[in-house]
Amino acid sequence: MASEELPIDPSLWPEPPPKEKVEEYLAELEKGPWPSHVTELKKTKYPVYIYGMGLVAGVTPWATSAAKAPGIYSGVLSRMSHPWTRINPPIFEDHARVLIPSAQVFTTTLLRFLIEASRRYGWGLMQFIGGTGDVVLNVVREKLIELDVFLRRIGLDIGGSGDVMRNTVSCPGPLLCPYAIYDTLKARDFTYSCLIDWATYPQFPYKIKFKYSGCPIDCLKAQARADYVVIGTWRGAPDIDNERLKQWIEEGGDVEELVKSCPTGAISWDGSRLNIDGSKCVKCMECIRRTYPAIKPGREKGLTVLVGGTIKSRTGPKLAKVLIPFIPLPSPDKLEEALMTMFQVIRDRIVPKWDEEGWRRERIGDTLIRVTWHRFLSDFAKFDPDLAAKITKAKPTEPYYTYGITFFNMSEEQKKKYLEDLEKAMESWQ
Amino acid sequence: MPANTSSMGDTADQRTRIRIVVHKLAFRSGDLTPVNHPEKLAPIPYTNYVPETLLRNMGKWVKTELITPAIVKHVSETGEEVYSVKVIGPPNSRFSADTLEKLCDLADMYGIGVIRPTPQGNVEILTDEEERARKLEEELRKNGFLVGGWGNHLWNIQPCTAYLTCTTAVIDAPSIAKALGDALVEYVYEKETPAHLSIKVSGCPNACGGAIDVADVAVVGYPAQTPMVDDKWFSSIGSPLDVTAACPVGAITPKRDPSTGKAYGIVIRPELCIACGRCRDTVDAIVYDPKKTGVMVLVGGKASNTGPNGQLMSRIVVPYIPSEPPRWPTLVKVVKRIVDTWVVNANKGERIGDWISRIGWDKFFELTGLPDVRKYLRFSEKPGPLYQPLYRRRLTETYAYLFREYASKI
């Protein structure tokens, strides 16, 4: 393609870098003990040279494109090589997000089918798995529908991109972890079946994410990444099994250390009996992690629902806020009922209102900040006005965090001085 | 249900027992894409995918124990044991079909035929005997995989996709992850850290590379400049009103054709811009000068409710390091310094956030030898986003002007 025909203004974009330089950069990334993505990409049909071009130029080598996939409204993303790379005809990079079984449990039988799919319909490459909890499979554009049929046949589906309800992620929960308070895997399946229309058609101002964490340890980092977060919790003190505790002490467990480790001083030991003050317990799981199964999560189990944690959004990263402090979960088979209680607030009140009032590309966390927490509680969640006022006045539990002035806003001299200081500091290290 | 087939007789323990693992697979039948019915299909319940060994012990686990940094043992009430062997995947968990097939073979031969990828980019292979687990670990290492990362070790470095497919990335993240990994690889298996360490790398402030705001160490691509607009390209692909709406500080105004009044382009006012990258998110025709882009480093966040502090959000400790692909020497040096200092000085069980809360930020900068960033950046103690409470700044443009003026004087 001659430069006059380029759709872009060539003076603003980099020139395609020389071949030797690209190869040098790529070779550099194959060295060292850590697994290399370049080595891995070279085993596939991925055009790794384009990646190298971007690396040398310092500008992404991909531009937005669109693939036609009738019947698939979400889950397919398309790229083409950027005009500045001068690759003619452009190379297309299409990939599909594959929704996988709960807790990412893959039997090898299923995985072999997926590998077969990626060889037959794609480049033999996949992201296993992406941060959203789905497998990202590179596809050849013409074979997209065939891939969809193949995946549906083996029980999977394509989905989870655009302004829809994205893939829901749950921690492994009861499948592998002793601390899980409810069946996170079941909750995930249930959410998807209940809200399948949300997952199909792009219809919202921006994406919606649900994440399910089994206990307050929150391995998924759900509070920071999802719009609606469900965390398993309990009321009052953890449950102490004295027999097992005795056994734990006999096996060399240090009770003094255990008492000291409690951040709020809720644990007391009178020489023969351990006591935990339920009103002081902040559910940090420290004692449980040390002594399990002698100390277990309390008997009065339930779910906490949080709202509005995001990173990628208008107002920057934020942690989720507690929306419903406690939904009782008296027995595991009452999980669906407990989730329905949550859906009554989220599905029937908050999301329709957000759909109406939210700005484009604004997640619920941003809307919440824009309309204020109090109005969110009374207008969006339609809580009783007294309750909303009470919740608003309660001491915020979020941690401190923020930056007033960023590097970008500093003056040129300040910037220069900082970088000099940094360089000076680094000289003193070995 | 995995079936053991061993016909080795007396020399059974000398040979590798080979077992054939057959799992049920939930097939869907009939027409899968009926006309006028394009909805997604309801998921097949997870119980159809989980092998019986796990299903039997669901919710009955009583104990988790670290055998080696690569093997974790789960003990059930019923006495059954499951071992999970952890393999650290390549940056951005990009697996080729060949590599995955190799993992499948190993999982069949030594495991119960289950592979669990995690959102952090690791792969866990499950097995049911300690001997097999150890053998699997050895075999994985022989095949060139990096194993380890359970317990008090480096769990993984999780980068976003960046230049591999992303259209908005400012800098490349997988190459940073690779460079950092090479420098910190000893913390995966040989050397122990005081507590769990996970590192996240993102190519731009959108931070798809995982929760950078609650990561122990996070590296974020930072444009550090007001973007330029490629007018020629914008006129064919961009929608001025969309981009105007995306700007959180109102720094973008549409460029209008004087005769028709129709908007055909945009103008970005450098005096208002905060370099958040939201416009680049919306349209490709926004250009960053690669010579000015860089990364910033945040430390000390965690999402879990553990320790004396509960959840913590990370704070910027290095606001800018110029980009130096492909090996990022300065960045690697800084991150290694932070991690090494933490390893030497922290108590056992203290994550970076808890450690800093105990010793204080003054001590942190003293110990690491990094320049005290608080002299340069202005911090506030109120909860809020990464770049200042933007929603407040939207109030008036005058306010933003004043802010900019004030900032230049500090």
Side-chain angles (χ1 to χ4, degrees):
Chain A
M1 203 188 281
S3 64
E4 304 90 59
E5 291 170 34
L6 285 180
I8 54 169
D9 180 355
S11 65
L12 289 170
W13 299 91
E15 291 281 313
K19 202 173 173 208
E20 307 81 61
K21 196 106 198 236
V22 172
E23 255 139 40
E24 182 199 315
Y25 272 46
L26 288 174
E28 202 61 46
L29 287 178
E30 289 198 77
K31 293 174 192 161
W34 195 264
S36 162
H37 53 295
V38 174
T39 314
E40 208 55 32
L41 293 172
K42 281 188 177 168
K43 291 181 196 163
T44 68
K45 290 182 204 150
Y46 182 88
V48 73
Y49 186 76
I50 297 187
Y51 171 67
M53 280 172 97
L55 213 54
V56 177
V59 172
T60 178
W62 300 104
T64 314
S65 168
K68 269 186 197 162
I72 311 171
Y73 294 111
S74 78
V76 179
L77 293 159
S78 295
R79 314 280 185 233
M80 62 176 205
S81 56
H82 202 289
W84 71 258
T85 56
R86 313 278 205 281
I87 290 170
N88 192 22
I91 293 177
F92 292 102
E93 197 267 21
D94 302 287
H95 49 267
R97 290 188 178 164
V98 182
L99 304 180
I100 58 174
S102 285
Q104 306 98 36
V105 187
F106 268 104
T107 53
T108 43
T109 321
L110 180 64
L111 186 54
R112 279 179 208 274
F113 271 100
L114 206 62
I115 293 168
E116 177 61 28
S118 96
R119 283 201 179 125
R120 215 189 279 177
Y121 308 111
W123 289 350
L125 174 68
M126 61 178 100
Q127 190 181 356
F128 188 73
I129 59 180
T132 352
D134 33 34
V135 169
V136 182
L137 207 67
N138 284 81
V139 201
V140 176
R141 189 171 277 191
E142 296 76 41
K143 295 181 182 168
L144 217 100
I145 298 292
E146 287 170 61
L147 174 80
D148 189 38
V149 173
F150 184 92
L151 290 175
R152 285 179 172 205
R153 188 72 73 199
I154 58 171
L156 307 175
D157 206 341
I158 290 178
S161 74
D163 302 333
V164 297
M165 185 186 85
R166 299 289 182 92
N167 184 16
T168 308
V169 191
S170 66
C171 71
L175 192 73
L176 281 171
C177 178
Y179 310 139
I181 284 159
Y182 66 100
D183 191 344
T184 52
L185 298 92
K186 197 166 156 192
R188 178 192 183 263
D189 281 355
F190 184 70
T191 308
Y192 195 80
S193 341
C194 275
L195 307 173
I196 199 152
D197 260 16
W198 285 10
T200 312
Y201 305 107
Q203 51 184 315
F204 301 111
Y206 207 6
K207 58 187 156 192
I208 297 177
K209 281 182 182 174
F210 280 85
K211 278 193 179 16
Y212 291 95
S213 261
C215 74
I217 292 178
D218 195 3
C219 296
L220 270 181
K221 298 194 195 300
Q223 299 168 56
R225 302 169 71 181
D227 297 306
Y228 304 104
V229 183
V230 182
I231 292 179
T233 182
W234 67 91
R235 248 183 199 165
D239 192 18
I240 306 170
D241 184 335
N242 282 312
E243 294 277 301
R244 276 178 160 156
L245 192 69
K246 217 184 255 169
Q247 199 187 334
W248 179 75
I249 294 165
E250 275 164 19
E251 282 167 12
D254 187 350
V255 186
E256 301 272 301
E257 191 66 36
L258 179 71
V259 173
K260 244 191 265 166
S261 74
C262 180
T264 55
I267 307 180
S268 56
W269 170 252
D270 61 0
S272 61
R273 224 181 151 72
L274 197 73
N275 252 318
I276 302 181
D277 183 351
S279 61
K280 277 191 192 166
C281 177
V282 289
K283 279 112 199 144
C284 76
M285 310 273 295
E286 186 64 40
C287 52
I288 297 172
R289 288 202 300 174
R290 278 170 191 258
T291 62
Y292 199 92
I295 302 180
K296 280 182 177 177
R299 287 201 188 147
E300 207 185 331
K301 290 176 181 161
L303 311 174
T304 299
V305 182
L306 295 93
V307 63
T310 59
I311 320 173
K312 180 178 182 169
S313 65
R314 181 182 289 272
T315 48
K318 51 195 133 348
L319 290 182
K321 282 179 161 225
V322 177
L323 177 69
I324 309 174
F326 198 79
I327 304 176
L329 186 65
S331 73
D333 54 328
K334 292 268 167 35
L335 181 63
E336 269 115 341
E337 267 169 52
L339 289 175
M340 282 316 284
T341 317
M342 175 185 84
F343 287 154
Q344 273 170 13
V345 178
I346 293 175
R347 187 188 60 184
D348 304 343
R349 301 181 197 168
I350 294 177
V351 172
K353 186 80 177 167
W354 170 62
D355 207 0
E356 213 173 275
E357 290 210 1
W359 291 349
R360 201 171 130 55
R361 294 178 81 75
E362 188 178 58
R363 281 173 76 170
I364 191 74
D366 305 314
T367 313
L368 184 159
I369 288 174
R370 183 164 56 82
V371 304
T372 72
W373 182 228
H374 182 258
R375 218 201 117 208
F376 178 83
L377 289 174
S378 53
D379 280 15
F380 281 61
K382 300 204 174 60
F383 282 2
D384 190 74
D386 293 345
L387 178 68
K390 223 188 244 170
I391 297 175
T392 319
K393 273 183 201 147
K395 216 177 141 210
T397 49
E398 306 134 300
Y400 73 91
Y401 152 77
T402 266
Y403 317 95
I405 294 173
T406 55
F407 185 78
F408 172 71
N409 295 58
M410 276 155 48
S411 64
E412 286 303 317
E413 301 93 77
Q414 284 274 331
K415 280 185 191 171
K416 223 169 134 193
K417 182 150 187 308
Y418 179 78
L419 291 177
E420 276 168 14
D421 281 3
L422 184 64
E423 213 166 289
K424 224 182 282 163
M426 285 175 62
E427 273 166 24
S428 62
W429 312 341
Q430 308 80 14
Chain B
M1 167 90 206
N4 277 352
T5 53
S6 94
S7 54
M8 309 291 164
D10 295 334
T11 56
D13 43 326
Q14 264 128 49
R15 293 202 215 156
T16 319
R17 278 178 294 159
I18 294 181
R19 59 167 139 186
I20 302 153
V21 185
V22 182
H23 289 289
K24 57 188 173 185
L25 190 65
F27 277 108
R28 287 199 183 102
S29 55
D31 189 3
L32 296 170
T33 47
V35 183
N36 298 332
H37 193 274
E39 278 94 1
K40 302 278 175 228
L41 299 170
I44 295 177
Y46 71 92
T47 39
N48 283 300
Y49 293 104
V50 177
E52 265 174 56
T53 327
L54 293 177
L55 219 46
R56 264 203 305 275
N57 298 304
M58 262 205 59
K60 291 183 190 159
W61 303 105
V62 289
K63 211 166 140 197
T64 329
E65 203 182 308
L66 199 71
I67 309 278
T68 73
I71 304 171
V72 152
K73 173 170 142 188
H74 304 275
V75 187
S76 159
E77 246 170 34
T78 57
E80 273 191 282
E81 292 168 355
V82 164
Y83 295 81
S84 134
V85 183
K86 186 162 161 185
V87 185
I88 290 187
N92 200 231
S93 38
R94 289 281 168 158
F95 281 96
S96 64
D98 301 351
T99 312
L100 277 179
E101 200 150 58
K102 210 186 274 173
L103 284 175
C104 276
D105 291 345
L106 289 169
D108 276 349
M109 202 178 278
Y110 300 102
I112 53 171
V114 174
I115 293 184
R116 258 200 81 234
T118 71
Q120 273 220 335
N122 301 315
V123 168
E124 292 171 32
I125 302 177
L126 303 184
T127 181
D128 54 359
E129 281 171 36
E130 186 171 340
E131 190 197 335
R132 276 176 184 282
R134 284 181 188 277
K135 189 95 191 171
L136 178 59
E137 188 194 321
E138 202 179 288
E139 207 61 34
L140 281 164
R141 204 173 284 127
K142 246 187 244 165
N143 278 290
F145 292 101
L146 182 65
V147 291
W150 278 123
N152 295 343
H153 286 93
L154 170 60
W155 279 40
N156 198 352
I157 299 173
Q158 185 192 0
C160 73
T161 309
Y163 292 1
L164 289 174
T165 52
C166 182
T167 57
T168 56
V170 177
I171 47 109
D172 180 49
S175 62
I176 296 183
K178 167 79 175 129
L180 286 178
D182 284 338
L184 299 171
V185 73
E186 57 194 11
Y187 290 119
V188 166
Y189 202 97
E190 289 86 25
K191 275 197 194 170
E192 200 168 310
T193 53
H196 162 187
L197 169 67
S198 66
I199 299 178
K200 318 257 179 206
V201 186
S202 288
C204 73
N206 280 334
C208 302
I212 53 128
D213 49 344
V214 290
D216 293 305
V217 177
V219 178
V220 187
Y222 186 42
Q225 58 184 297
T226 306
M228 297 167 283
V229 185
D230 184 341
D231 283 336
K232 188 181 169 194
W233 203 17
F234 193 96
S235 58
S236 60
I237 61 163
S239 143
L241 293 179
D242 259 13
V243 186
T244 312
C247 184
V249 289
I252 299 177
T253 40
K255 223 190 238 177
R256 289 178 195 281
D257 190 329
S259 55
T260 58
K262 241 181 140 185
Y264 69 95
I266 53 164
V267 183
I268 304 177
R269 298 193 199 168
E271 65 273 19
L272 293 179
C273 176
I274 51 161
C276 68
R278 296 281 299 160
C279 47
R280 185 72 180 78
D281 231 20
T282 317
V283 65
D284 282 353
I286 305 267
V287 195
Y288 290 120
D289 179 1
K291 286 189 201 85
K292 285 189 195 161
T293 55
V295 289
M296 54 181 162
V297 182
L298 295 88
V299 304
K302 68 191 182 67
S304 83
N305 197 20
T306 53
N309 302 295
Q311 301 91 0
L312 291 170
M313 285 186 105
S314 353
R315 264 176 102 142
I316 296 174
V317 291
V318 181
Y320 179 79
I321 298 171
S323 41
E324 303 159 308
R327 298 302 299 200
W328 306 85
T330 317
L331 174 68
V332 169
K333 227 170 153 187
V334 166
V335 172
K336 189 156 173 24
R337 175 79 179 179
I338 293 169
V339 173
D340 285 346
T341 316
W342 166 63
V343 170
V344 173
N345 291 289
N347 293 342
K348 200 165 176 349
E350 257 180 346
R351 283 178 67 171
I352 294 187
D354 290 331
W355 170 61
I356 296 173
S357 306
R358 180 170 60 82
I359 62 167
W361 285 98
D362 291 333
K363 190 88 179 154
F364 171 80
F365 286 115
E366 193 193 312
L367 286 172
T368 49
L370 286 166
D372 190 341
V373 73
R374 293 170 301 174
K375 279 191 216 152
Y376 303 89
L377 308 183
R378 193 162 58 91
F379 285 85
S380 101
E381 292 298 302
K382 279 185 191 153
L386 183 59
Y387 296 106
Q388 163 79 356
L390 303 177
Y391 52 97
R392 281 193 197 127
R393 288 189 55 195
R394 202 186 162 83
L395 291 176
T396 57
E397 292 193 355
T398 329
Y399 182 87
Y401 271 117
L402 288 173
F403 178 82
R404 180 77 178 165
E405 285 286 290
Y406 175 68
S408 62
K409 275 181 202 149
I410 306 171

